[in-house]
Structures are given as structure tokens and as C-alpha cells.
Amino acid sequence: MSSRRVRVTGLGRPDAGVSRTKKQQQNQGLPRQHQQQQEAGGGGRAGREHAHHLFDELLRRDTTSIFDLNSALSAVARESPAVSLSLFNRMPRADLCTYSIVIGCCSRAGHLDLAFAALGRVIRTGWTAQAITFSPLLKGLCHDKRTSDAMDIALRRMPALGCTPNAFSYNILLKGLCDENRSQQALHLLHTMMADDTTGGCPPDVVSYTTVINGLLREGQLDKAYCLFDEMLDQGMSPNCITYNCLLHGYCSSGKPKEAIGIFRKMCRDGVEPDVVTYNTLMDYLCKNGRSMEARKVFDSMVKKGHKPDSSIYGTLLHGYATEGYLVQMHQLLDAMVRNGTQPDHYIFNILIGAYAKHGMVDEAMLAFSKMRQQGLHPNIVTYGTVMDALCRVGKVDDAMSQFDRLISEGLTPNGVVFRTLIHGLCACDKWDKAEELAVEMIGRGICPDTIFFNTLLNHLCKEGMVTRAKNIFDLMVRVDVQRDVITYTTLIDGYCLDGKVDEATKLLEGMVLDEVKPNEVTYNTIINGYCKNGRIEDACSLFRQMASKGVNPGIVTYSTILHGLFQTRRIAAAKELYLWMIKCGIKLPIGTYNIILQGLCQNNCTDDALRMFHNLCLIDFHLQNRTFNIMIDALLKGGRHDEAKDLFASLLARGLVPNVVTYWLMMKSLIEQGLLEELDDLFLSLEKNGCTANSRMLNALVGKLLQKGEVRKAGVYLSKIDENNFSLEASTAESLVFLVSSGKYDQHINSIPEKYRPTAKSRAVFSQKKIQGCLMLPVAMEL
């Protein structure tokens, strides 16, 4: 143990503030072997044992000074506060330095009551305590979230005892306040320090300013933090690298990269050399925001300035590359890292394995997993979790279970992530017994899969139409004692409704009551929608009426669903009564509900009623949608009211709306039916001028409609547009084309059809219907 380790840093005897030299120690009669051990010894357990042994030997000597005992006690205290307290009880005498060590030990060990007792002994003895005597106690109180008590001691009790707090004392308080998110009080205390400085008090130092700046930044008070930074400069205080790093991290965390770059440039202008933390902060922000290529430039700049990147910095950039899918750049950086003498650690390997897993490269992930072992690194729980997730994603759940068994055999404890990954994988492979067994083991280890985990799994299964599997998961929750909530029930109810099993959904609703889970509006809406889709409007209305009696008020989604169901079942009078009652009650109907009403009226031959409602909405400048106009235009065209439809189409642009593909198709279809082909061409040109692009479905529909009307030449024009846009010919369009051409009625117009779509005359003569169908798919295949 070196002589440096037996010195009491900053805590000499009351009359001496410096440690003694090796010669002085020899004069005190310390054994030579201890002097040698002090010179050669180290820290940790060996150093602690040596100090303990030295302390025992000193106690046996009658000539041992209190200084030597304090030195040995301090050496033990640095490694083991609890052991030093037991040694203190064996000391024959003590001074202020001894009690300062004891106060520090008690505070670090969390025994603040003993620290206060030791301080009381100091006061009763009549010694004049120094600020450094109080510092460990202040730290302990702040660490225990008792900063207010620490402030009372520093600002009231210490001066009363003739002890003036120093900058270190104040900095402890400032950090304590900031750690408790009381940065505003810390700012006030800092200003108090500045005011006291004018009367010979304690001026704030760079640590004081940096501590409060960091506290303000953590609480999101960026403007105040920067103002304090300016104030610091005005006071002639020079910020250090840590100050700039705090500002840089604060701006990056708040999503203000411009300000962060400004701080970085100011730092360089002011002659403060950025350190590894500075560069890593910038790189971390850039990588987390999908800008890993820019992060690489920062990395290169750091290396150019002579800083050697460590594993953490390599990990930041590698993770950025992996997240954005830049696997080539990831490999290149990894190679450079190894060439520069930095070997991949667990974190690096986990990044690599995770990147491969994310991109479905399971073989590469497993290869990296093997290389990790070859380099002497044992996979940790994160590594195993990533590997098992990769295997489960591609259905290799048995391999994942093998890794799970290996994890256990290596003495690792599986966490919730590992269990959830495996249970998901087992359920996806229909291995319910094993999934249940694993869930039970998970609970037995004190890791309970929560309701959110099961709800997520249920939602996935129901959306995929696997409602039977979802029900198995639902039942499993009971067996593993996980509470099912309203989301659990509603998710499975939705799954049954999507599968057309509304009665099963209703049984679940009844089961909720027995399970003491109260259905909400979404639950009722789900079943009501299920009834309506199955044409069971009476059941839907009955459940609708039950909602209020169960304490659940129907919302606009509920009303809209019922209205749609009534219109679909031609219950016009009931639908009108409901929406008029809604308007009378002051319920604000959104445009989606109005669209349901307008479409319902139009589909049930009440177009005039729909027009009156539509015009009323226009008069009050209600925000209408393209869909609203499409509903009305379609209804007018179907009723032969072409001029009114044209006027409505023209009014779209006047209201600041641009007709969409559906709007144009409705008008074009009408023009084809009326034989107005020149107007059709003009309308198609206006479509392109208005920034609306004809899609594949629209062009196929146009061609099909023209062919049905026998307009082969015009159909050829729009077939060419399908080719120009590299769209596929839909089966229905191709069937109409082949049927028309094979009939022979339009041979004189055959050249209007693009050549790739012209079946030969010889082929037409021998085609059976089956062969025709085969032929009609040929152009599609050619395009694909």
C-alpha cells in the first residue's frame, strides 16, 4: 500500500494540514515491513486487509500517535466505511480528525443518525469544527433527498458554531437541490453566494455555475440555463469542458441541434478543447435522429484531433448505422475499430446481433454470436434475448428454446424480455402447452407477464384472424393469475366480431360483469358494429339502449354506427328520427356522421332530402370533404340529373377542394354512358392540370367501360395510357377486351388496340373459353 493511500486527504491533525513524509513515519517507529507495503501496496481488498492489519499492529504499540491511527482508519474507510466504524470503537483516543473520518463513514454507509451523534460529540467536546467536517454529512443528507435539512445545517447551524461554509459546502447543496428538481432554488442560492462575496463571503466557482446550469437544463429551462451561462462569463468565470458538455447535452436532449452546434463552435473559439464526452454527445444525438452519416463526420474530426475513440464511442456510431440499416458501413467501422486495437465488447456484439436480427439475417446473427464466444466473451442476458428474438421471428422457436436452456445452464437469470419473446414465439407456432408452462415458470421466478403483454399478443392474433388462438391466450391469463382488463375483453370481442361470431362476443360482454370489469364505450361500439355488419339491427339497437342504463354514454361513434345500420336495413324513418333528435339535443355532428346520413338518404331514394341537408351545410360554411361531394354527385348522376351533378362538380373548386380520382371517375363514367367522348377527353386533361394523377384502377375502369359501350378506338387511347404508366391490365378489363375482339364485330377497329393486346384471328377461331381466359392473362404477365 503506497504512502499516498494512508494519508488523510484534507483531514490532518487540528494543528497540521499536511501529511508526513516517509522519514517522519520511520521516526515514529513504524515497522519497516509496513513502510515497504505502503510503498508497494495497492487498493481494493488487498489494500483494505493491509490497512486493517496495520491498524491492529499500531494499537499494540504504546508509542503510536493519533495521526498514525487516523491515517490507518482513513485508509480502511475509503474501501469499507462499515469496517472502519468497528475499528473506531477500538481506538483508545480520538481527535477532531478522527471524528471527521467517522462522520464521513457513517454518512457514506447511510447511517445518518450515527453521523449526527458523532457531530454532537465534536460539539460537546468543544472542538472548533471545520467546513470539511460537515461536508460528508451534507452529502449524506442530500443523497437521502433531505437537502432542506442540509441547507439548514450549512446556512444556520454551521455559522452558529463559528464555522463558515466554503465553496465545497455550497456546491453540495446546489447539487442536492438540482437532483431534487429544485433548480430554481439552486439558482437563488447561487445568487446568495454572489451577494455574500461582496461582504467577504464565499464566491461561486465554476463547479457552482456548472451544477446549476446542468440542473436547469435537466428541467427543460434552457433559456434560464443560457442566461446563467452568460452571467458566468460576465463575472469573469471561465467555463470548463464540463460546463460546455452540459449545455451541449441539454440542447441535444431538447431537440435543438442548431443551438448545440453553436455551443460547440463557441467552445472551440474560446480555446476549450472538446473531450471524448463532447464528441460522443453530438454523435449520440445525430445517430438517434437518423443522421449517422453526419455523426461519422464528427467521429472523423475527433480522430483527426488526436482523440482515441473508446468502445462507447464506437458503439454509438455502430448503433446508428445498425438502426438505419447501413450494414456495410457498420462492418467497415467494426474492422477499423479492431485494427485500432479496440476489441468488441458485449455492447458491440449485441449491436451487431440486433442489426442482423432486425434485417432477418439469422445466420449472420448466429455467426456473430459464435465469434463472441471465440473471443472469450460470455453472452449476457441481452445477447441471449436478441438471439432468441431473431430465431422466433423466423419460426425457429425450438432453436430459441435451446438457447434458453443454455442460458440457464450458464447460470444466467432470464428476465421478462426473454420470457415474453419466447412466449410470443411459442404462441405463434401454436405450442400453447409449452407457452403456458413457460408463463408459469416466469411467474415462479417472480417475473409476472403483465396485462399489457397479453393485450398486445391478443391484438396481434385477432388482427390476423386467429381468434381461436386469441381465446387460448385469454384463458391462459386466468391460469397464470393475470388480471384481464377492459382492453383485454374488448380486443377479443373485436376479434370475434371480425370473424362474424357476434354471439360469442356478446357472451364475453356478459362475462365482463362476472369478472368485475366494466365495459366502456369502445366495447359497446365494437359489438354494435358487429351486429350491424351482420344485419342484426334490432340487436344493435337493443344494446344501444342498454348503454345508458349501464352508465356508459353513447358517443358520436356509437350514433354513427347505429345510423349506418339503420340505413343499411332500410329503416329510413328510424334513422331520420335519430339524427333529427341528435341535432335537436345539440350533439355536434362531425363530417363523417353527415357523410353517413347523406349516403344513407341517397341509397334509399331520398336524394332531395340529402340535397337539402347538403345545401344547408354549404350555407353555414361547414367544412365539407371530397367524399361529401362524391356522395351527392354519384346520387345525382344515378338519378339522371346530369346538369346538377356538373354544377356540383364545378363548385368543388370554388370551395377550395380539388376533385380526387373518385370524383373524376364518376363524371367520366357518366360522360361515357351519354356518349360524350370529346368531353371525356377534356375532363381527363383537366384532371392532369389540377394535379390529380390517374391511377391503375381508374384507367382500367375507363377502358372497361368504353369497351362495354363498343368504343374500341377510344378504349385504345386509354389502353396506351396504361402502358405509358407501366400499369398492369386487370383481369376484368382483359376479359372485356378479349371477348369484344373475339366476337369479330369490331375487326375494322382492331388496329386501335395496342399490338400487345391483339389476339390473332387464327387464335380466335380455336379458342375455347378456358383458352381465352389463359390468353387474357398473357398481357398482364408480360407487363409484370
Side-chain angles (χ1 to χ4, degrees):
M1 185 171 185
S2 67
S3 59
R4 177 181 61 81
R5 294 194 59 80
V6 297
R7 292 173 188 161
V8 185
T9 307
L11 288 175
R13 293 171 297 169
D15 60 342
V18 295
S19 60
R20 296 195 284 185
T21 65
K22 179 180 175 183
K23 179 65 178 175
Q24 288 172 318
Q25 290 171 346
Q26 289 174 343
N27 291 338
Q28 287 294 321
L30 283 175
R32 180 66 185 172
Q33 59 180 358
H34 288 310
Q35 296 170 25
Q36 293 170 347
Q37 288 172 336
Q38 288 170 356
E39 295 296 325
R45 181 177 177 181
R48 182 170 68 250
E49 289 177 353
H50 166 66
H52 197 162
H53 179 66
L54 173 62
F55 189 87
D56 290 338
E57 187 162 336
L58 288 171
L59 284 178
R60 288 194 294 268
R61 299 182 64 84
D62 295 333
T63 59
T64 301
S65 69
I66 186 65
F67 175 82
D68 295 323
L69 287 172
N70 286 342
S71 297
L73 184 67
S74 178
V76 177
R78 280 194 289 270
E79 299 293 341
S80 179
V83 172
S84 67
L85 290 177
S86 68
L87 296 180
F88 165 74
N89 292 326
R90 297 167 55 197
M91 289 180 66
R93 59 192 181 280
D95 61 5
L96 178 60
C97 178
T98 313
Y99 278 101
S100 296
I101 296 170
V102 170
I103 290 170
C105 289
C106 294
S107 300
R108 291 197 300 278
H111 296 300
L112 294 178
D113 52 341
L114 297 179
F116 274 111
L119 180 63
R121 182 66 179 271
V122 169
I123 295 169
R124 287 194 301 273
T125 305
W127 287 320
T128 302
Q130 301 172 1
I132 199 166
T133 306
F134 288 90
S135 295
L137 185 56
L138 297 178
K139 274 187 178 181
L141 288 167
C142 291
H143 182 268
D144 210 30
K145 303 300 180 186
R146 295 172 58 187
T147 306
S148 296
D149 292 338
M151 290 180 68
D152 180 66
I153 290 173
L155 304 181
R156 190 171 68 85
R157 294 182 181 273
M158 284 175 65
L161 294 170
C163 178
T164 303
N166 58 18
F168 190 67
S169 308
Y170 276 106
N171 290 343
I172 292 171
L173 299 179
L174 292 171
K175 185 177 186 304
L177 289 169
C178 291
D179 286 345
E180 293 181 21
N181 294 324
R182 296 162 63 185
S183 57
Q184 190 58 46
Q185 289 176 254
L187 182 61
H188 178 72
L189 181 60
L190 183 72
H191 288 150
T192 301
M193 292 174 69
M194 295 168 63
D196 290 344
D197 183 35
T198 60
T199 58
C202 176
D205 57 14
V206 66
V207 176
S208 312
Y209 280 103
T210 301
T211 300
V212 180
I213 287 170
N214 190 45
L216 290 167
L217 289 167
R218 286 208 311 260
E219 293 183 42
Q221 301 185 57
L222 275 70
D223 293 338
K224 284 187 178 181
Y226 198 80
C227 285
L228 184 58
F229 178 71
D230 282 339
E231 188 178 305
M232 178 183 182
L233 297 175
D234 293 340
Q235 293 293 324
M237 191 73 63
S238 299
N240 60 20
C241 188
I242 298 174
T243 315
Y244 282 108
N245 286 346
C246 289
L247 286 166
L248 196 65
H249 183 268
Y251 281 122
C252 286
S253 299
S254 301
K256 295 191 173 183
K258 289 184 179 178
E259 290 82 352
I261 295 298
I263 287 292
F264 179 75
R265 289 173 177 166
K266 178 174 175 56
M267 179 181 187
C268 296
R269 284 198 307 271
D270 291 349
V272 179
E273 182 67 26
D275 62 7
V276 172
V277 176
T278 316
Y279 288 107
N280 203 22
T281 300
L282 278 175
M283 289 169 57
D284 183 63
Y285 170 79
L286 292 169
C287 288
K288 285 180 177 177
N289 288 272
R291 298 162 64 181
S292 57
M293 291 303 182
E294 293 176 62
R296 180 56 190 259
K297 293 178 181 178
V298 175
F299 176 87
D300 292 339
S301 172
M302 178 190 71
V303 173
K304 187 177 181 180
K305 291 189 176 182
H307 293 286
K308 184 177 180 180
D310 58 13
S311 179
S312 174
I313 290 185
Y314 278 114
T316 298
L317 189 51
L318 286 168
H319 189 268
Y321 282 149
T323 302
E324 294 182 61
Y326 295 135
L327 300 188
V328 173
Q329 289 83 351
M330 183 182 78
H331 289 144
Q332 291 172 347
L333 181 63
L334 182 67
D335 291 340
M337 170 183 161
V338 174
R339 283 197 305 272
N340 291 332
T342 303
Q343 292 300 318
D345 56 13
H346 283 90
Y347 178 59
I348 301 296
F349 273 108
N350 290 343
I351 290 171
L352 296 176
I353 294 169
Y356 292 134
K358 180 181 176 182
H359 293 86
M361 303 165 67
V362 180
D363 292 338
E364 288 81 355
M366 296 308 296
L367 181 61
F369 187 62
S370 298
K371 284 185 177 179
M372 184 177 184
R373 290 183 179 280
Q374 291 169 11
Q375 293 190 14
L377 291 173
H378 295 288
N380 58 22
I381 197 66
V382 176
T383 318
Y384 271 110
T386 307
V387 167
M388 285 186 277
D389 181 59
L391 293 168
C392 287
R393 283 173 184 266
V394 294
K396 294 184 176 181
V397 69
D398 291 334
D399 291 342
M401 286 302 302
S402 296
Q403 293 298 335
F404 178 77
D405 293 337
R406 190 173 186 180
L407 175 158
I408 300 294
S409 68
E410 291 180 0
L412 292 175
T413 302
N415 58 19
V417 174
V418 169
F419 277 110
R420 285 191 285 270
T421 298
L422 289 174
I423 291 170
H424 269 294
L426 290 166
C427 291
C429 294
D430 219 7
K431 297 187 176 185
W432 301 105
D433 292 339
K434 188 61 180 176
E436 183 174 346
E437 178 187 326
L438 209 57
V440 171
E441 181 181 345
M442 181 179 181
I443 294 168
R445 290 177 176 269
I447 308 168
C448 184
D450 58 12
T451 306
I452 296 174
F453 163 69
F454 280 110
N455 288 349
T456 304
L457 190 56
L458 279 172
N459 183 62
H460 169 73
L461 292 170
C462 289
K463 289 292 187 289
E464 294 294 323
M466 296 183 284
V467 69
T468 304
R469 291 185 181 182
K471 181 61 167 61
N472 290 335
I473 290 292
F474 183 82
D475 294 337
L476 176 63
M477 292 178 72
V478 176
R479 292 195 292 274
V480 296
D481 198 28
V482 176
Q483 182 65 44
R484 299 182 293 200
D485 61 10
V486 65
I487 298 175
T488 315
Y489 274 97
T490 303
T491 302
L492 187 55
I493 284 170
D494 185 47
Y496 276 127
C497 289
L498 290 172
D499 205 33
K501 299 175 180 178
V502 189
D503 290 331
E504 294 295 328
T506 307
K507 289 178 184 177
L508 273 179
L509 181 63
E510 296 168 356
M512 291 180 75
V513 179
L514 298 175
D515 209 4
E516 297 183 349
V517 179
K518 185 179 179 181
N520 60 17
E521 183 191 342
V522 179
T523 314
Y524 281 104
N525 289 346
T526 302
I527 301 180
I528 288 171
N529 186 54
Y531 278 136
C532 290
K533 284 186 175 180
N534 284 271
R536 296 168 60 175
I537 190 62
E538 292 296 339
D539 291 328
C541 290
S542 175
L543 190 58
F544 172 70
R545 288 188 289 268
Q546 286 179 30
M547 285 181 70
S549 66
K550 300 292 184 181
V552 181
N553 294 322
I556 195 64
V557 174
T558 320
Y559 287 114
S560 298
T561 304
I562 289 290
L563 281 169
H564 186 262
L566 290 169
F567 280 121
Q568 288 294 102
T569 53
R570 307 188 69 80
R571 300 274 300 275
I572 315 303
K576 285 183 177 181
E577 182 182 349
L578 179 57
Y579 75 70
L580 289 173
W581 175 85
M582 290 169 66
I583 294 170
K584 184 179 178 181
C585 290
I587 298 173
K588 292 185 178 180
L589 276 61
I591 188 59
T593 306
Y594 274 115
N595 286 343
I596 289 171
I597 296 170
L598 291 171
Q599 188 168 38
L601 291 170
C602 291
Q603 287 176 343
N604 288 278
N605 300 319
C606 298
T607 305
D608 289 333
D609 291 340
L611 271 174
R612 279 192 291 272
M613 177 178 282
F614 176 83
H615 288 311
N616 286 335
L617 291 173
C618 291
L619 288 173
I620 62 173
D621 286 330
F622 197 88
H623 183 67
L624 302 178
Q625 299 174 333
N626 277 58
R627 175 167 167 72
T628 317
F629 280 88
N630 292 344
I631 290 167
M632 298 311 305
I633 290 171
D634 186 38
L636 290 170
L637 291 172
K638 286 178 178 176
R641 300 161 71 169
H642 301 289
D643 291 338
E644 291 177 75
K646 284 182 180 179
D647 292 340
L648 204 54
F649 178 81
S651 70
L652 248 172
L653 292 171
R655 292 187 66 87
L657 294 171
V658 178
N660 58 22
V661 172
V662 176
T663 321
Y664 277 107
W665 163 241
L666 291 171
M667 296 301 296
M668 289 177 181
K669 181 173 66 171
S670 172
L671 293 173
I672 293 171
E673 289 173 348
Q674 297 176 69
L676 304 173
L677 300 186
E678 289 186 7
E679 290 188 33
L680 169 68
D681 292 339
D682 292 339
L683 188 60
F684 192 88
L685 287 174
S686 72
L687 174 149
E688 295 174 334
K689 289 179 182 178
N690 288 330
C692 182
T693 304
N695 57 25
S696 175
R697 188 172 181 181
M698 179 186 184
L699 288 171
N700 273 279
L702 270 175
V703 171
K705 191 70 178 175
L706 288 165
L707 290 173
Q708 288 174 16
K709 299 294 289 186
E711 301 291 346
V712 181
R713 287 183 176 178
K714 189 60 68 178
V717 173
Y718 289 97
L719 271 169
S720 298
K721 294 184 182 295
I722 290 177
D723 282 347
E724 290 169 8
N725 289 281
N726 293 318
F727 292 145
S728 297
L729 199 65
E730 294 178 1
S732 58
T733 312
E735 185 176 2
S736 298
L737 176 62
V738 173
F739 179 79
L740 183 141
V741 174
S742 62
S743 68
K745 290 172 60 178
Y746 298 96
D747 283 351
Q748 67 274 27
H749 301 304
I750 195 69
N751 290 332
S752 302
I753 303 296
E755 187 173 355
K756 64 188 289 186
Y757 299 117
R758 298 180 207 161
T760 63
K762 182 177 180 181
S763 298
R764 286 200 309 267
V766 297
F767 272 171
S768 64
Q769 184 60 33
K770 185 175 181 180
K771 290 180 180 178
I772 290 174
Q773 290 175 352
C775 179
L776 66 86
M777 294 308 296
L778 182 60
V780 182
M782 289 170 62
E783 288 186 350
L784 290 172

